[in-house]
């Protein structure tokens, strides 16, 4: 029942600090129109609003804590873990603050950069921890400004561990977490959601449990939005704590911190650090099996599952926070057993969205980066607004250069030796390249018995959707049509379809058939003759590394190739073939031949020269069959081309 | 073959005069994105560009000249004629300037306002004539500024007839059309396309034919873009003129003015005014039949057709300009016989677009005004930007009030007596209102033998598309579901479909079923119970005149109900059901009961009280069936409702 129609556009949020002054919102005629994306309400909500909505609707949720890795390689692995564990549907993740690890720096292993990657490249709602003791006000403001600039919206405000053994209050310094909370609210108004820590057994340094509760209440009064607790071993510990909090008037959400025991040593270390005591009955079980990792982990999972069930059954708990120790197995197992791991995460859009506030409205992307979404996000990170509803004709999409191919979140997960086994220790000609592409498509081992599980343009095995085209793809790759991207045509499948579905249920999704490949100039010449017959049906763009570009796209307009129709919503068209962006993608696609493949071989080696030859002489081609209700004609186009060549 | 990708956003055009300074275009990151509509390239072109494109592609075209009417009623009729003749696809129309008729005023019969209506409400590319002699520079600048403000983009620059018999040059005044051309270019730069008049036999006041050609060349050199000629009676006259123009270096388009003889007296008068001589062979035919209008018109059509054929066959003529004398039959007949009248004008969008430059990008409208597009244009005329690609959530669509129901372009074409015959001289109860609605749907005469060809919400007979639903509509109207708007569901029909098609060929169009009606609160109560069963499938908005509003639309989002998929283009979704706009439409829809219907009757009369009762107590309901690939369930919803009531 709606009687009033008050909607506000929340495109600009104001803040007191951070230099950039956002202009006051005007409600003149000019600014009366605004577009907001529509598929995923959560995308527009602050974390505290998401939490409230989940609580109101009775949904149970979980969140995951990670710490920053120590090496760049470990960072690459952690980011793959973000992607995998992100698929289970955490409400947020958080990244701890390691004062010893230069946490606010631009190093690929810093807390700041890991959190940045989680938000921007993995699309995860993220809380960045931040400690305050032994730091100047300016340092802290600087960190917060940087976090804001990177698109981080949530801070876990902590005191941090004092450096020396004996700790003394600094006059006018940041002595307690509450000082940090106040500082954030003073300097950044309501920009950040703030989380603070709660101690179900009382902070080890607190005068008493009651005194500690009072400190907690002070933190909430100072502006904290919710509380995550220290780990504990028994559900009663948490439930008592929660009731005590409520009794003194703490009404914000309190999220229990869950620690699935994963090994004897990690438990001992954590207990030492947190000054907690492990209950005797747990010790009794663990001590006898302390050398059997698997047994301890199984026990830990069992214990966590039953404690979580008690918490959830109490009716007082809606969300669970997991201390993962950067490991996947135990936490995932607990979540699956609890039934709160999303087995079939609904995709709000066909591509993974970024959680940067600037990108909230983004709902259209060129199809070219479908297998390299992180690269797309990186190359568009400087954009100030993102296409919404329609890609539009772009005069200069201004894609950032992708010069540093070893940006850690774009780095191949496979080491050089692995890549050589997949792509050939020694190439003997263009045909051996064809074979690599073919093996990637078929999933069959290559002639040396290795499976090709990634390609320079695809860091992952073939998408399920692409499997629909496997047979035809195999055939054409064998003959030198080296495919790097494709999608089948879809004429109105339910949005819940497990393979091609996306968006809310009750809708229908559509696609135009798409095929993108590298191929020789000889094949291109024949292809162009064949395409004349398909002039009204097939749009094409054909370009070589020098930028010579042949197309029949009308007025360089973008062509929507994926769209969805949903109940009560406007049409969503998340991927387009945009002729202008294609020229930016072309640079990246050609460069990957050299950067990822040719450079595996010695300079001047025959293998390297083969890849260099392909790079210099092949064309990158994309084809769209506009007649989506009919059978995909692109295979016929390719067949006709080969026929013409014979 | 495209090697460069230079596109510019032409959203803002700069001018030297006219007060409003448009900011210089910046090519920063922020402004690097722009949306341009994509369906109809001509919508973005200036008249001279359209002309050039037609000439380059070998298309033949026509244009139509009208003069401003003398009475408001005649204006209403002229505007219907614009709509009807506009359907034949003229490249432009032009409206003459009548110095005696206060041509620049806001009167509904002024040249300025008629041209404004043609551009904004009929969507026609329009040239406004303007004369300059005996006017001050300030007056002329004022007229030009006003024309620009109203969205007029083309001026026919004329000297005009001097007031007295003897004419003398004014020092520093506007003595010739060339002075006006120069003035326009000086004050408005390149904003207007400028047309000038050419005299195939030389201007009657010119010293000589050769001297007149020189004057014409001066006008072109001063900045005129093309030439329309005075009427003539023989194709050789024009072809010689054209060659003579080319010989002295006039290269712009020269469009022959065609005058189909429509009657003896109009011919005599025109000849007198233009000081032309009618060739003897024409006189010989006409004089004997001068009292037989039909015979003269037939001869005139014959003559015009053969002359036009000669012109077109010469290869020198691509477009023909018709002096219509505000009449339809003869010109239409000539155009049809020449094969340049578009029998099946392709609709670029399902609704008639406006030709105002501000509205160039407009490609989404709420469905509510489908039968009252002029009202929609009127109520949104103050908007500074128009939705493009997506309607978006609008905080305050700021629709203008529609207080003056007798704005001449919204006035019913039927007089009061006619309306009373259709809608009932005397109403006996709500049922007699039901009967009027039913007769409008069926096309059957009412009980007094009159056909109901319009309704307060629909000034025209039922749309062809609505005919698809006729049987069901009849059934529900009989029972008090008083429908005012509806569309069937369409699951991918070719864009060339004669009934539901729109947009360029090769595409597919889609619709969600829509039904909008007034009904009693008793029926609404039952309907709401029934709708619970259809909660996930049917979106509804139900509102009464006081604004009590019941809806299940998620977050007041708009629902796209018409969309099209085209080769090489983004998705177009031209109509939406927007919950916010619905409340503005509601005011208009309810007011029409009173303004158009109730007020036909005496105050306090039973008939008037019946309409007033409906206005006060009925609800306006709209329903959308989101499941467009399935059979329309809205009839089932209505059936279920009646079943529940029984």
């Amino acid at each position: 029942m709606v009687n009033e129609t008050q909607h506000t556009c929340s495109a600009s949020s104001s803040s007191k600090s951070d230099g950039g002054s956002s202009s006051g919102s005007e409600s003149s005629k000019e600014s009366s129109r605004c577009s907001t994306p529509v598929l995923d309400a959560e995308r527009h909500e602050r974390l505290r609003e998401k939490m409230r909505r989940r609580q109101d609707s009775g949904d149970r949720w979980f969140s995951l804590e990670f710490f920053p890795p120590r090496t760049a390689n470990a960072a690459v692995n952690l980011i793959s873990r973000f992607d995998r564990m992100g698929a289970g549907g955490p409400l947020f993740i958080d990244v701890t603050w390691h004062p010893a690890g230069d946490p606010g720096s631009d190093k690929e292993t810093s807390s700041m950069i890991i959190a940045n990657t989680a938000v921007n490249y993995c699309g995860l709602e993220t809380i960045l921890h931040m400690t305050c003791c032994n730091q100047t006000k300016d340092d802290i403001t600087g960190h917060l400004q940087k976090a804001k600039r990177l698109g981080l919206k949530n801070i876990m405000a902590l005191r941090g561990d004092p450096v020396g053994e004996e700790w003394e209050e600094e006059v006018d310094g940041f002595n307690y977490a509450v000082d940090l909370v106040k500082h954030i609210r003073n300097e950044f108004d309501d920009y950040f959601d703030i989380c603070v820590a709660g101690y179900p057994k009382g902070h080890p340094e607190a005068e008493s449990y009651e005194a500690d509760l009072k400190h907690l209440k002070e933190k909430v009064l100072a502006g904290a939005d919710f509380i995550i607790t220290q780990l504990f071993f028994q559900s009663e510990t948490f439930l008592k704590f929660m009731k005590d909090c409520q009794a003194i008037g703490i009404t914000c959400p309190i999220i229990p911190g869950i620690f699935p025991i994963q090994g004897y040593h990690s438990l001992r270390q954590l207990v030492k650090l947190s000054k907690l005591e492990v209950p005797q009955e747990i010790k009794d079980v663990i001590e006898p099996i302390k050398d059997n990792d698997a047994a301890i982990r199984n026990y830990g999972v069992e214990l966590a599952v039953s404690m979580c069930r008690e918490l959830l059954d109490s009716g007082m708990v809606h969300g669970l926070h997991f201390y993962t120790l950067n490991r996947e197995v135990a936490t995932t197992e607990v979540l699956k057993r609890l039934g709160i791991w999303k087995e079939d995460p609904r995709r709000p859009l066909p591509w993974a969205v970024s959680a940067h506030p600037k990108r909230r409205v983004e709902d259209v992307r060129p199809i070219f980066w479908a297998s390299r979404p992180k690269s797309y996000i990186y190359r568009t990170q400087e954009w100030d607004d993102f296409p919404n509803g329609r890609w539009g004709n772009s005069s200069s999409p201004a894609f950032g250069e992708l010069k540093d191919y070893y940006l850690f979140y774009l780095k191949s997960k496979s080491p050089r030796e692995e890549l050589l086994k997949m792509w050939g220790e020694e190439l003997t000609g263009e045909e051996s390249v064809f074979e690599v592409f073919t093996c990637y498509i078929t999933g069959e081992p290559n002639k040396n018995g290795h499976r090709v599980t990634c390609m320079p343009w695809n860091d992952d095995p073939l998408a399920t959707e692409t499997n629909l085209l496997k047979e035809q793809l195999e055939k054409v790759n064998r003959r030198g049509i080296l495919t790097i991207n494709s999608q089948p045509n879809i004429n109105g499948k339910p949005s819940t379809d497990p393979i091609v579905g996306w968006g809310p249920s009750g809708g229908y999704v559509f696609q135009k058939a798409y095929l993108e490949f590298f191929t020789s100039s000889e094949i291109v010449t024949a292809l162009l003759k064949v395409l004349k017959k398909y002039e009204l049906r097939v749009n094409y763009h054909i370009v070589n590394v020098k930028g010579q570009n042949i197309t029949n796209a009308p007025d360089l307009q973008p062509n929507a190739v994926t769209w969805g129709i949903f109940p009560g919503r406007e049409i969503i068209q998340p991927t387009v073939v945009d002729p202008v962006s294609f020229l930016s993608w072309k640079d990246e696609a050609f460069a990957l031949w050299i950067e990822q493949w040719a450079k595996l071989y010695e300079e001047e080696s025959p293998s390297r020269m083969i890849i260099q030859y392909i790079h210099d002489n092949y064309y990158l081609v994309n084809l769209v069959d506009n007649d989506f209700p009919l059978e995909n004609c692109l295979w016929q186009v390719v067949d006709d081309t080969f026929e013409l060549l014979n």
Side-chain angles (χ1 to χ4, degrees), chain A:
Chain A
M1 181 80 80
V2 177
N3 289 314
E4 292 274 343
T5 55
Q6 272 288 338
H7 267 236
T8 52
C9 306
S10 60
S12 69
S13 62
S14 65
S15 76
K16 276 157 68 176
S17 187
D18 199 25
S21 67
S22 48
S23 62
S25 69
E26 294 178 2
S27 60
S28 70
K29 283 195 306 280
E30 292 92 314
S31 63
S32 70
R33 310 208 53 74
C34 71
S35 286
T36 53
V38 291
L39 277 179
D40 183 6
E42 284 208 341
R43 213 170 152 194
H44 290 268
E45 288 175 332
R46 307 177 61 129
L47 179 50
R48 63 194 186 203
E49 290 163 357
K50 292 183 192 177
M51 234 175 249
R52 198 174 306 129
R53 182 211 282 259
R54 294 287 186 102
Q55 179 165 337
D56 291 348
S57 66
D59 277 0
R60 287 157 172 193
W61 54 266
F62 67 95
S63 52
L64 304 168
E65 183 163 315
F66 299 93
F67 54 79
R70 277 192 296 182
T71 66
N73 263 342
V76 170
N77 289 332
L78 181 60
I79 291 155
S80 320
R81 193 165 299 124
F82 285 170
D83 285 338
R84 285 192 302 272
M85 296 189 83
L91 187 65
F92 64 86
I93 70 150
D94 59 332
V95 177
T96 60
W97 187 257
H98 277 207
D102 204 357
S105 75
D106 286 336
K107 282 199 300 194
E108 57 210 10
T109 54
S110 78
S111 300
M112 185 72 81
I113 294 303
I114 292 294
N116 163 55
T117 305
V119 167
N120 289 300
Y121 295 93
C122 306
L124 298 168
E125 180 80 55
T126 302
I127 303 179
L128 175 63
H129 289 222
M130 209 172 273
T131 62
C132 62
C133 77
N134 296 316
Q135 290 185 78
T136 68
K137 195 175 264 195
D138 283 353
D139 280 348
I140 288 172
T141 301
H143 291 324
L144 288 164
Q145 280 172 344
K146 182 168 185 174
K148 185 178 171 187
R149 214 160 46 234
L150 294 174
L152 290 158
K153 296 165 293 181
N154 313 293
I155 300 290
M156 173 109 176
L158 298 164
R159 187 192 71 184
D161 298 317
V163 175
E165 275 297 301
E166 290 291 309
W167 173 73
E168 280 178 33
E169 288 194 20
E170 280 180 64
V171 183
D172 290 335
F174 289 96
N175 295 305
Y176 298 100
V178 68
D179 300 325
L180 180 53
V181 175
K182 285 178 185 163
H183 178 73
I184 298 174
R185 284 285 174 254
N186 276 338
E187 296 287 316
F188 293 85
D189 204 350
D190 202 33
Y191 178 79
F192 290 106
D193 278 17
I194 302 176
C195 174
V196 293
Y199 299 87
K201 290 270 193 186
H203 192 280
E205 290 168 20
E207 313 91 272
S208 68
Y209 176 77
E210 288 71 27
D212 195 48
L213 279 182
K214 269 193 207 159
H215 291 317
L216 181 58
K217 187 168 179 189
E218 278 164 24
K219 291 194 279 190
V220 174
L221 289 175
D225 294 297
F226 50 93
I227 296 161
I228 294 178
T229 77
Q230 178 60 288
L231 64 93
F232 52 89
F233 294 98
Q234 285 153 321
S235 58
E236 308 84 61
T237 310
F238 176 82
L239 295 173
K240 175 182 181 304
F241 171 70
M242 187 145 181
K243 280 175 201 149
D244 294 338
C245 285
Q246 287 171 345
I248 65 162
I250 295 174
T251 56
C252 70
I254 304 176
I255 305 147
I258 310 298
F259 173 69
I261 297 170
Q262 307 197 45
Y264 185 74
H265 294 287
S266 61
L267 175 64
R268 268 176 63 116
Q269 209 190 344
L270 199 83
V271 163
K272 192 179 146 206
L273 278 172
S274 59
K275 296 177 183 147
L276 286 175
E277 219 166 291
V278 179
Q280 193 56 45
E281 60 262 39
I282 294 180
K283 281 188 192 155
D284 288 348
V285 178
I286 282 182
E287 286 295 335
I289 56 170
K290 67 178 177 184
D291 298 321
N292 185 340
D293 284 353
I296 290 196
R297 200 172 55 221
N298 287 342
Y299 171 69
V301 165
E302 214 50 66
L303 201 65
V305 167
S306 68
M307 190 174 78
C308 289
R309 286 216 174 107
E310 287 163 21
L311 291 169
L312 294 170
D313 290 348
S314 75
M316 296 173 74
V317 172
H318 302 90
L320 302 164
H321 184 72
F322 284 82
Y323 295 104
T324 68
L325 303 187
N326 286 16
R327 296 192 206 158
E328 249 171 287
V329 180
T331 299
T332 307
E333 174 75 12
V334 173
L335 288 166
K336 286 184 175 173
R337 300 247 320 254
L338 291 171
I340 55 177
W341 177 270
K342 280 204 211 155
E343 284 300 339
D344 173 30
R346 301 283 322 123
R347 299 184 296 168
L349 287 171
W351 34 264
V353 302
S354 167
H356 194 291
K358 274 203 308 188
R359 302 186 86 115
R360 260 193 304 231
V361 299
E362 180 181 28
D363 67 4
V364 197
R365 288 187 187 171
I367 195 171
F368 317 120
W369 283 270
S371 300
R372 291 175 63 78
K374 291 187 176 69
S375 161
Y376 180 77
I377 292 165
Y378 176 75
R379 296 190 66 181
T380 59
Q381 64 184 348
E382 299 296 330
W383 291 9
D384 283 317
D385 50 0
F386 288 88
N388 166 241
R390 163 172 290 181
W391 179 265
N393 284 6
S394 35
S395 55
S396 74
F399 284 91
E401 294 276 328
L402 190 67
K403 287 253 166 87
D404 183 355
Y405 293 88
Y406 296 95
L407 283 169
F408 75 102
Y409 33 72
L410 293 178
K411 205 170 162 182
S412 173
K413 279 167 279 183
S414 312
R416 178 168 179 274
E417 307 74 51
E418 197 69 34
L419 295 177
L420 279 171
K421 280 182 191 156
M422 291 196 273
W423 301 344
E425 307 274 355
E426 211 181 311
L427 302 175
T428 52
E430 291 167 64
E431 285 71 21
S432 43
V433 173
F434 301 177
E435 203 211 325
V436 175
F437 275 85
T438 309
C439 288
Y440 174 71
I441 297 293
T442 60
E444 305 283 318
N446 63 19
K447 61 183 177 208
N448 298 316
H450 294 283
R451 283 186 209 283
V452 181
T453 57
C454 68
M455 291 293 282
W457 307 269
N458 300 277
D459 213 22
D460 295 303
L462 214 58
T464 333
E465 186 196 36
T466 316
N467 261 307
L468 300 175
L469 307 172
K470 203 162 165 172
E471 209 174 299
Q472 288 101 329
L473 286 170
E474 176 186 348
K475 208 172 81 180
V476 306
N477 275 281
R478 268 192 210 294
R479 302 184 67 176
I481 299 269
L482 306 176
T483 60
I484 60 169
N485 196 355
S486 60
Q487 69 176 22
N489 59 319
I490 304 289
N491 186 15
K493 286 224 180 181
S495 58
T496 48
D497 183 278
I499 297 176
V500 299
W502 53 273
S505 56
Y508 295 90
V509 297
F510 294 78
Q511 291 179 180
K512 290 179 180 177
Y514 179 74
L515 191 61
E516 182 181 338
F517 52 86
F518 289 101
T519 201
S520 66
S521 63
E522 187 196 1
I523 290 179
V524 162
T525 306
L527 177 65
L528 277 169
K529 281 189 193 131
V530 168
L531 282 170
K532 284 206 169 61
K533 276 200 306 181
Y534 295 86
E535 186 63 26
L536 293 171
R537 182 163 174 183
V538 175
N539 281 113
Y540 56 85
H541 300 90
I542 302 177
V543 65
N544 67 5
V545 72
K546 296 178 208 88
Q548 285 175 319
N549 188 16
I550 310 162
T551 179
N552 67 343
D555 309 324
L556 292 187
Q557 283 184 25
N559 191 350
V561 291
T562 307
W563 63 98
I565 318 296
F566 301 95
R569 289 181 163 85
E570 296 196 73
I571 314 298
I572 310 294
Q573 52 148 48
T575 53
V576 295
V577 169
D578 171 47
V580 183
S581 311
F582 185 59
L583 300 184
S584 294
W585 164 244
K586 175 266 295 179
D587 294 337
E588 183 170 337
F590 274 101
L592 287 165
W593 280 106
I594 304 299
E595 298 297 327
Q596 297 234 359
W597 199 335
K599 288 188 176 171
L600 294 176
Y601 309 108
E602 299 284 314
E603 276 187 57
E604 311 277 329
S605 68
S607 295
R608 183 144 175 179
M609 283 163 69
I610 288 164
I611 301 295
Q612 186 74 48
Y613 174 83
I614 289 176
H615 170 269
D616 295 347
N617 293 285
Y618 273 38
Y619 282 78
L620 181 61
V621 177
N622 76 51
L623 304 176
V624 176
D625 176 5
N626 287 298
D627 243 334
F628 63 95
L630 310 183
E631 202 190 339
N632 178 353
C633 74
L634 300 181
W635 306 117
Q636 193 58 50
V637 169
V638 174
D639 280 353
D640 291 359
T641 304
F642 285 126
E643 200 169 299
L644 186 66
L645 280 168
N646 287 346

